[in-house]
Amino acid sequence: DIIPGKVELKWLPRYPVRKDSPVRVPCFTDKQRAWLLRRVAAGGNAWLALKVRSHWYIFDAHGAQEVGNLTKDELLEACIAFWKKDPKPEELCRVFTGLP
């Protein structure tokens, strides 16, 4: 079965220098945040994938709402999946489908 959904992809070249500084994502707009929530409210699936350096974070639509205001440690707590390097396609499929 195919699980229809949308993944909003964002990329940053590096983390802030200070550990307690938020990881700002200027290209992730309020309109995009709202769209993710509307998609889920309408019965669809939507996620945010954020790559910073080689690290990958996946957030569900609700968890994505605070992205841009969270520190590196807080991103790790808020995400539903994390990889230190590029995830394998089957790992991404498991996150987006919920299948084992």
Side-chain angles (χ1 to χ4, degrees):
D1 291 337
I2 295 176
I3 308 294
K6 175 173 169 97
V7 179
E8 187 70 44
L9 176 62
K10 300 299 177 187
W11 174 83
L12 297 171
R14 63 189 151 295
Y15 290 103
V17 174
R18 293 178 44 159
K19 185 176 176 143
D20 61 344
S21 293
V23 179
R24 299 286 183 205
V25 186
C27 55
F28 187 37
T29 68
D30 289 341
K31 287 183 179 183
Q32 290 170 320
R33 294 170 205 279
W35 189 92
L36 291 172
L37 291 176
R38 284 195 310 273
R39 170 100 182 170
V40 170
N45 297 299
W47 302 270
L48 169 67
L50 173 63
K51 183 178 182 184
V52 184
R53 297 186 53 154
S54 64
H55 296 165
W56 284 83
Y57 302 84
I58 306 293
F59 301 89
D60 63 20
H62 294 283
Q65 299 306 302
E66 289 301 314
V67 170
N69 298 314
L70 304 175
T71 65
K72 180 180 176 182
D73 289 342
E74 291 169 335
L75 286 175
L76 193 55
E77 291 176 23
C79 70
I80 61 170
F82 171 78
W83 296 272
K84 286 188 176 185
K85 56 183 180 178
D86 291 350
K88 296 177 183 172
E90 58 268 18
E91 292 173 320
L92 289 171
C93 288
R94 282 194 289 274
V95 171
F96 298 138
T97 65
L99 299 173

